[in-house]
Amino acid sequence: KEELQRIRGVLHSYANEPAQDNNEKNNATKTICSHFHGIAMLTGMRRGELLQLQWKHVSIGDDTHEIRAGSRIVDTLFKITVPGAISKVRRTRQFMVGDDEYVYGLLYLAAKRIKMVGLPKVYTPKVDAYLRKNFDAIRKLVSDQLIFSLDGETAVSPRALYIHFEHVVELAGIEDAVGRGIVPYSFRHSFITHKVNSGIDLASVAEMAGT
């Protein structure tokens, strides 16, 4: 858990730091990959499920402010629907996730792509209020677009995800990651392990994990 906390801390700064080559496409890919790993950590979803997720599969579940999620305070709960068509076990499941600026960061990129009127030119935490207010309007325009994509049509590549995962793990100071077999799928293993260890019954954990 302590290592996951360090990775979470790195993901936030990693997503917002401009790439050294100042290439906008590379910057966007870096941000998308960062948010991918953040959401994978929070949800335990499989890579294939995440890469096929579209904006129509995400909605605001509760707009009550200052919801406590463990030691964190989150502004918005999002409801994610994983359709059976993109699930390995072909069963639809839904769950709520407290946003840690990953969903909003991705929504900002999608709104930027469609040139949403009034969208601030630079993303800051204050932009969350704009995105919350215009969530339904943006979602309607990008409904069928992939969430983890530069153009809404083609998902980021597994290679890009792995490269940025390695960078994040290194920056987080995770020791002997290769020898321990730590890979992006480890987020799913950790999610399941921590749910089981917290005392949740196995049937509920299986339902959350879609297995």
Side-chain angles (χ1 to χ4, degrees):
K1 287 185 178 180
E2 187 271 336
E3 288 182 323
L4 287 173
Q5 289 287 0
R6 279 153 53 192
I7 290 173
R8 182 178 289 116
V10 167
L11 283 173
H12 281 295
S13 58
Y14 188 81
N16 295 320
E17 290 174 358
Q20 290 183 353
D21 59 8
N22 294 317
N23 184 297
E24 187 172 346
K25 181 179 179 181
N26 288 347
N27 285 338
T29 300
K30 183 179 180 181
T31 299
I32 290 170
C33 290
S34 299
H35 293 331
F36 176 97
H37 294 308
I39 292 176
M41 188 188 306
L42 290 175
T43 66
M45 288 175 64
R46 298 177 179 92
R47 183 182 72 187
E49 294 172 341
L50 287 165
L51 291 181
Q52 295 180 78
L53 207 63
Q54 298 172 307
W55 280 108
K56 64 184 176 185
H57 301 142
V58 179
S59 59
I60 292 180
D62 190 332
D63 60 1
T64 303
H65 292 188
E66 295 192 351
I67 301 164
R68 184 169 293 280
S71 60
R72 297 182 297 118
I73 298 294
V74 295
D75 286 336
T76 308
L77 284 176
F78 287 94
K79 181 169 71 175
I80 297 178
T81 300
V82 182
I86 69 173
S87 171
K88 184 178 180 180
V89 293
R90 294 294 183 256
R91 288 181 59 191
T92 298
R93 69 185 191 278
Q94 291 183 323
F95 48 84
M96 307 294 288
V97 58
D99 184 40
D100 211 3
E101 293 188 0
Y102 302 127
V103 177
Y104 276 141
L106 292 162
L107 186 64
Y108 177 78
L109 291 178
K112 187 176 180 181
R113 187 166 60 238
I114 61 173
K115 296 179 172 58
M116 187 70 183
V117 176
L119 182 72
K121 292 184 178 181
V122 179
Y123 181 82
T124 67
K126 293 182 179 180
V127 176
D128 289 1
Y130 170 90
L131 295 172
R132 184 188 301 115
K133 179 180 179 181
N134 294 280
F135 181 84
D136 289 335
I138 299 171
R139 181 172 176 261
K140 184 177 180 180
L141 293 171
V142 299
S143 178
D144 293 324
Q145 294 187 15
L146 295 173
I147 293 177
F148 300 100
S149 170
L150 288 172
D151 59 6
E153 298 180 3
T154 304
V156 292
S157 70
R159 180 175 180 274
L161 290 171
Y162 198 86
I163 288 172
H164 289 292
F165 174 83
E166 287 187 321
H167 290 168
V168 167
V169 166
E170 182 180 356
L171 289 170
I174 308 302
E175 296 182 0
D176 193 25
V178 174
R180 293 161 60 196
I182 296 177
V183 294
Y185 203 77
S186 299
F187 288 140
R188 178 170 169 83
H189 289 171
S190 296
F191 175 88
I192 293 172
T193 300
H194 295 153
K195 293 298 181 186
V196 172
N197 288 344
S198 70
I200 299 175
D201 66 278
L202 293 181
S204 295
V205 177
E207 187 68 25
M208 292 179 196
T211 187

mmCIF file of all heavy atoms in Angstrom, residues 61-89:
data_model
loop_
_atom_site.group_PDB
_atom_site.id
_atom_site.type_symbol
_atom_site.label_atom_id
_atom_site.label_comp_id
_atom_site.label_asym_id
_atom_site.label_seq_id
_atom_site.Cartn_x
_atom_site.Cartn_y
_atom_site.Cartn_z
ATOM 1 N N GLY A 61 -22.154 10.073 -10.751
ATOM 2 C CA GLY A 61 -23.067 9.343 -9.884
ATOM 3 C C GLY A 61 -23.609 10.180 -8.752
ATOM 4 O O GLY A 61 -24.693 9.933 -8.256
ATOM 5 N N ASP A 62 -22.857 11.152 -8.301
ATOM 6 C CA ASP A 62 -23.284 11.972 -7.175
ATOM 7 C C ASP A 62 -22.497 13.265 -7.221
ATOM 8 O O ASP A 62 -21.280 13.246 -7.183
ATOM 9 C CB ASP A 62 -23.009 11.226 -5.862
ATOM 10 C CG ASP A 62 -23.651 11.906 -4.659
ATOM 11 O OD1 ASP A 62 -23.839 13.134 -4.706
ATOM 12 O OD2 ASP A 62 -23.965 11.208 -3.683
ATOM 13 N N ASP A 63 -23.194 14.406 -7.286
ATOM 14 C CA ASP A 63 -22.472 15.677 -7.377
ATOM 15 C C ASP A 63 -22.319 16.353 -6.023
ATOM 16 O O ASP A 63 -22.008 17.533 -5.936
ATOM 17 C CB ASP A 63 -23.163 16.628 -8.370
ATOM 18 C CG ASP A 63 -24.599 16.949 -7.958
ATOM 19 O OD1 ASP A 63 -25.052 16.462 -6.900
ATOM 20 O OD2 ASP A 63 -25.262 17.686 -8.703
ATOM 21 N N THR A 64 -22.552 15.589 -4.953
ATOM 22 C CA THR A 64 -22.328 16.139 -3.624
ATOM 23 C C THR A 64 -20.850 16.429 -3.431
ATOM 24 O O THR A 64 -20.014 15.602 -3.756
ATOM 25 C CB THR A 64 -22.795 15.146 -2.541
ATOM 26 O OG1 THR A 64 -24.169 14.830 -2.756
ATOM 27 C CG2 THR A 64 -22.628 15.740 -1.152
ATOM 28 N N HIS A 65 -20.525 17.577 -2.886
ATOM 29 C CA HIS A 65 -19.120 17.958 -2.726
ATOM 30 C C HIS A 65 -18.525 17.348 -1.460
ATOM 31 O O HIS A 65 -19.219 16.986 -0.529
ATOM 32 C CB HIS A 65 -18.981 19.476 -2.684
ATOM 33 C CG HIS A 65 -19.303 20.110 -3.997
ATOM 34 N ND1 HIS A 65 -19.100 21.441 -4.256
ATOM 35 C CD2 HIS A 65 -19.816 19.595 -5.139
ATOM 36 C CE1 HIS A 65 -19.471 21.730 -5.491
ATOM 37 N NE2 HIS A 65 -19.921 20.621 -6.041
ATOM 38 N N GLU A 66 -17.232 17.259 -1.455
ATOM 39 C CA GLU A 66 -16.444 16.814 -0.312
ATOM 40 C C GLU A 66 -16.896 15.457 0.223
ATOM 41 O O GLU A 66 -17.277 15.300 1.370
ATOM 42 C CB GLU A 66 -16.469 17.865 0.804
ATOM 43 C CG GLU A 66 -15.782 19.166 0.398
ATOM 44 C CD GLU A 66 -15.541 20.092 1.574
ATOM 45 O OE1 GLU A 66 -16.047 19.796 2.661
ATOM 46 O OE2 GLU A 66 -14.851 21.097 1.382
ATOM 47 N N ILE A 67 -16.846 14.468 -0.655
ATOM 48 C CA ILE A 67 -17.102 13.091 -0.265
ATOM 49 C C ILE A 67 -15.795 12.497 0.231
ATOM 50 O O ILE A 67 -14.767 12.616 -0.413
ATOM 51 C CB ILE A 67 -17.622 12.272 -1.472
ATOM 52 C CG1 ILE A 67 -18.904 12.913 -2.006
ATOM 53 C CG2 ILE A 67 -17.852 10.820 -1.101
ATOM 54 C CD1 ILE A 67 -19.290 12.455 -3.379
ATOM 55 N N ARG A 68 -15.836 11.860 1.403
ATOM 56 C CA ARG A 68 -14.603 11.297 1.958
ATOM 57 C C ARG A 68 -14.402 9.877 1.425
ATOM 58 O O ARG A 68 -15.292 9.041 1.499
ATOM 59 C CB ARG A 68 -14.667 11.273 3.478
ATOM 60 C CG ARG A 68 -13.367 10.780 4.125
ATOM 61 C CD ARG A 68 -13.369 11.025 5.616
ATOM 62 N NE ARG A 68 -13.325 12.435 5.947
ATOM 63 C CZ ARG A 68 -12.217 13.171 5.940
ATOM 64 N NH1 ARG A 68 -11.054 12.632 5.605
ATOM 65 N NH2 ARG A 68 -12.253 14.446 6.263
ATOM 66 N N ALA A 69 -13.230 9.647 0.839
ATOM 67 C CA ALA A 69 -12.856 8.323 0.344
ATOM 68 C C ALA A 69 -11.575 7.927 1.057
ATOM 69 O O ALA A 69 -10.483 8.259 0.627
ATOM 70 C CB ALA A 69 -12.654 8.342 -1.169
ATOM 71 N N GLY A 70 -11.726 7.248 2.204
ATOM 72 C CA GLY A 70 -10.558 6.932 3.015
ATOM 73 C C GLY A 70 -10.002 8.220 3.596
ATOM 74 O O GLY A 70 -10.720 8.987 4.249
ATOM 75 N N SER A 71 -8.741 8.486 3.348
ATOM 76 C CA SER A 71 -8.121 9.707 3.865
ATOM 77 C C SER A 71 -8.239 10.861 2.885
ATOM 78 O O SER A 71 -7.819 11.975 3.165
ATOM 79 C CB SER A 71 -6.626 9.446 4.159
ATOM 80 O OG SER A 71 -5.953 9.059 2.972
ATOM 81 N N ARG A 72 -8.837 10.588 1.698
ATOM 82 C CA ARG A 72 -8.920 11.620 0.668
ATOM 83 C C ARG A 72 -10.298 12.265 0.650
ATOM 84 O O ARG A 72 -11.289 11.670 1.045
ATOM 85 C CB ARG A 72 -8.645 11.014 -0.726
ATOM 86 C CG ARG A 72 -7.268 10.443 -0.906
ATOM 87 C CD ARG A 72 -7.093 9.921 -2.325
ATOM 88 N NE ARG A 72 -8.011 8.832 -2.621
ATOM 89 C CZ ARG A 72 -8.940 8.861 -3.566
ATOM 90 N NH1 ARG A 72 -9.087 9.924 -4.321
ATOM 91 N NH2 ARG A 72 -9.710 7.808 -3.772
ATOM 92 N N ILE A 73 -10.359 13.500 0.190
ATOM 93 C CA ILE A 73 -11.625 14.183 -0.057
ATOM 94 C C ILE A 73 -11.771 14.316 -1.569
ATOM 95 O O ILE A 73 -10.905 14.871 -2.232
ATOM 96 C CB ILE A 73 -11.663 15.578 0.601
ATOM 97 C CG1 ILE A 73 -11.528 15.467 2.121
ATOM 98 C CG2 ILE A 73 -12.949 16.302 0.221
ATOM 99 C CD1 ILE A 73 -12.692 14.787 2.793
ATOM 100 N N VAL A 74 -12.861 13.791 -2.113
ATOM 101 C CA VAL A 74 -13.075 13.885 -3.553
ATOM 102 C C VAL A 74 -14.327 14.700 -3.824
ATOM 103 O O VAL A 74 -15.261 14.700 -3.035
ATOM 104 C CB VAL A 74 -13.206 12.481 -4.207
ATOM 105 C CG1 VAL A 74 -11.902 11.711 -4.087
ATOM 106 C CG2 VAL A 74 -14.331 11.687 -3.568
ATOM 107 N N ASP A 75 -14.326 15.412 -4.929
ATOM 108 C CA ASP A 75 -15.443 16.285 -5.261
ATOM 109 C C ASP A 75 -16.569 15.565 -5.983
ATOM 110 O O ASP A 75 -17.705 15.989 -5.933
ATOM 111 C CB ASP A 75 -14.958 17.445 -6.143
ATOM 112 C CG ASP A 75 -14.166 18.471 -5.354
ATOM 113 O OD1 ASP A 75 -14.377 18.541 -4.139
ATOM 114 O OD2 ASP A 75 -13.351 19.177 -5.946
ATOM 115 N N THR A 76 -16.246 14.505 -6.688
ATOM 116 C CA THR A 76 -17.247 13.862 -7.526
ATOM 117 C C THR A 76 -17.088 12.360 -7.508
ATOM 118 O O THR A 76 -15.981 11.844 -7.525
ATOM 119 C CB THR A 76 -17.119 14.340 -8.986
ATOM 120 O OG1 THR A 76 -17.125 15.771 -9.022
ATOM 121 C CG2 THR A 76 -18.272 13.836 -9.834
ATOM 122 N N LEU A 77 -18.215 11.663 -7.472
ATOM 123 C CA LEU A 77 -18.215 10.224 -7.659
ATOM 124 C C LEU A 77 -18.666 9.941 -9.087
ATOM 125 O O LEU A 77 -19.677 10.473 -9.544
ATOM 126 C CB LEU A 77 -19.173 9.541 -6.683
ATOM 127 C CG LEU A 77 -18.724 9.417 -5.238
ATOM 128 C CD1 LEU A 77 -19.836 8.807 -4.388
ATOM 129 C CD2 LEU A 77 -17.472 8.558 -5.146
ATOM 130 N N PHE A 78 -17.910 9.118 -9.791
ATOM 131 C CA PHE A 78 -18.279 8.729 -11.137
ATOM 132 C C PHE A 78 -18.781 7.295 -11.144
ATOM 133 O O PHE A 78 -18.262 6.444 -10.419
ATOM 134 C CB PHE A 78 -17.075 8.843 -12.080
ATOM 135 C CG PHE A 78 -16.714 10.258 -12.419
ATOM 136 C CD1 PHE A 78 -15.746 10.929 -11.693
ATOM 137 C CD2 PHE A 78 -17.353 10.921 -13.459
ATOM 138 C CE1 PHE A 78 -15.406 12.236 -11.992
ATOM 139 C CE2 PHE A 78 -17.019 12.233 -13.764
ATOM 140 C CZ PHE A 78 -16.056 12.893 -13.035
ATOM 141 N N LYS A 79 -19.796 7.045 -11.944
ATOM 142 C CA LYS A 79 -20.291 5.685 -12.138
ATOM 143 C C LYS A 79 -19.734 5.157 -13.447
ATOM 144 O O LYS A 79 -19.906 5.773 -14.494
ATOM 145 C CB LYS A 79 -21.825 5.643 -12.168
ATOM 146 C CG LYS A 79 -22.367 4.224 -12.355
ATOM 147 C CD LYS A 79 -23.871 4.156 -12.117
ATOM 148 C CE LYS A 79 -24.645 4.817 -13.224
ATOM 149 N NZ LYS A 79 -26.105 4.645 -13.050
ATOM 150 N N ILE A 80 -19.038 4.044 -13.374
ATOM 151 C CA ILE A 80 -18.472 3.415 -14.563
ATOM 152 C C ILE A 80 -19.228 2.129 -14.854
ATOM 153 O O ILE A 80 -19.417 1.297 -13.972
ATOM 154 C CB ILE A 80 -16.975 3.104 -14.373
ATOM 155 C CG1 ILE A 80 -16.177 4.401 -14.163
ATOM 156 C CG2 ILE A 80 -16.419 2.345 -15.577
ATOM 157 C CD1 ILE A 80 -14.695 4.186 -13.926
ATOM 158 N N THR A 81 -19.668 1.993 -16.082
ATOM 159 C CA THR A 81 -20.337 0.774 -16.530
ATOM 160 C C THR A 81 -19.405 0.036 -17.465
ATOM 161 O O THR A 81 -18.945 0.596 -18.458
ATOM 162 C CB THR A 81 -21.651 1.094 -17.276
ATOM 163 O OG1 THR A 81 -22.536 1.801 -16.401
ATOM 164 C CG2 THR A 81 -22.332 -0.185 -17.751
ATOM 165 N N VAL A 82 -19.107 -1.210 -17.127
ATOM 166 C CA VAL A 82 -18.289 -2.052 -17.997
ATOM 167 C C VAL A 82 -19.246 -2.992 -18.730
ATOM 168 O O VAL A 82 -19.756 -3.946 -18.138
ATOM 169 C CB VAL A 82 -17.256 -2.875 -17.196
ATOM 170 C CG1 VAL A 82 -16.383 -3.693 -18.136
ATOM 171 C CG2 VAL A 82 -16.400 -1.964 -16.328
ATOM 172 N N PRO A 83 -19.540 -2.723 -20.016
ATOM 173 C CA PRO A 83 -20.489 -3.567 -20.755
ATOM 174 C C PRO A 83 -19.965 -4.998 -20.896
ATOM 175 O O PRO A 83 -18.758 -5.221 -21.012
ATOM 176 C CB PRO A 83 -20.582 -2.890 -22.124
ATOM 177 C CG PRO A 83 -20.050 -1.508 -21.910
ATOM 178 C CD PRO A 83 -19.019 -1.633 -20.842
ATOM 179 N N GLY A 84 -20.887 -5.948 -20.897
ATOM 180 C CA GLY A 84 -20.494 -7.339 -21.066
ATOM 181 C C GLY A 84 -19.727 -7.568 -22.354
ATOM 182 O O GLY A 84 -18.862 -8.439 -22.426
ATOM 183 N N ALA A 85 -20.017 -6.751 -23.369
ATOM 184 C CA ALA A 85 -19.372 -6.928 -24.675
ATOM 185 C C ALA A 85 -17.869 -6.694 -24.625
ATOM 186 O O ALA A 85 -17.132 -7.216 -25.468
ATOM 187 C CB ALA A 85 -20.007 -5.987 -25.705
ATOM 188 N N ILE A 86 -17.390 -5.902 -23.652
ATOM 189 C CA ILE A 86 -15.954 -5.638 -23.577
ATOM 190 C C ILE A 86 -15.305 -6.326 -22.373
ATOM 191 O O ILE A 86 -14.111 -6.163 -22.125
ATOM 192 C CB ILE A 86 -15.649 -4.123 -23.529
ATOM 193 C CG1 ILE A 86 -16.107 -3.504 -22.216
ATOM 194 C CG2 ILE A 86 -16.274 -3.415 -24.719
ATOM 195 C CD1 ILE A 86 -15.687 -2.048 -22.038
ATOM 196 N N SER A 87 -16.109 -7.093 -21.633
ATOM 197 C CA SER A 87 -15.588 -7.792 -20.464
ATOM 198 C C SER A 87 -15.142 -9.200 -20.840
ATOM 199 O O SER A 87 -15.765 -9.863 -21.676
ATOM 200 C CB SER A 87 -16.663 -7.884 -19.373
ATOM 201 O OG SER A 87 -16.245 -8.731 -18.320
ATOM 202 N N LYS A 88 -14.079 -9.651 -20.217
ATOM 203 C CA LYS A 88 -13.544 -10.988 -20.491
ATOM 204 C C LYS A 88 -14.567 -12.076 -20.194
ATOM 205 O O LYS A 88 -14.622 -13.099 -20.885
ATOM 206 C CB LYS A 88 -12.286 -11.216 -19.650
ATOM 207 C CG LYS A 88 -11.582 -12.541 -19.906
ATOM 208 C CD LYS A 88 -10.323 -12.646 -19.066
ATOM 209 C CE LYS A 88 -9.610 -13.973 -19.302
ATOM 210 N NZ LYS A 88 -8.375 -14.074 -18.481
ATOM 211 N N VAL A 89 -15.403 -11.848 -19.172
ATOM 212 C CA VAL A 89 -16.394 -12.860 -18.782
ATOM 213 C C VAL A 89 -17.777 -12.562 -19.353
ATOM 214 O O VAL A 89 -18.755 -13.244 -19.028
ATOM 215 C CB VAL A 89 -16.470 -12.978 -17.246
ATOM 216 C CG1 VAL A 89 -15.179 -13.551 -16.699
ATOM 217 C CG2 VAL A 89 -16.766 -11.627 -16.593
#
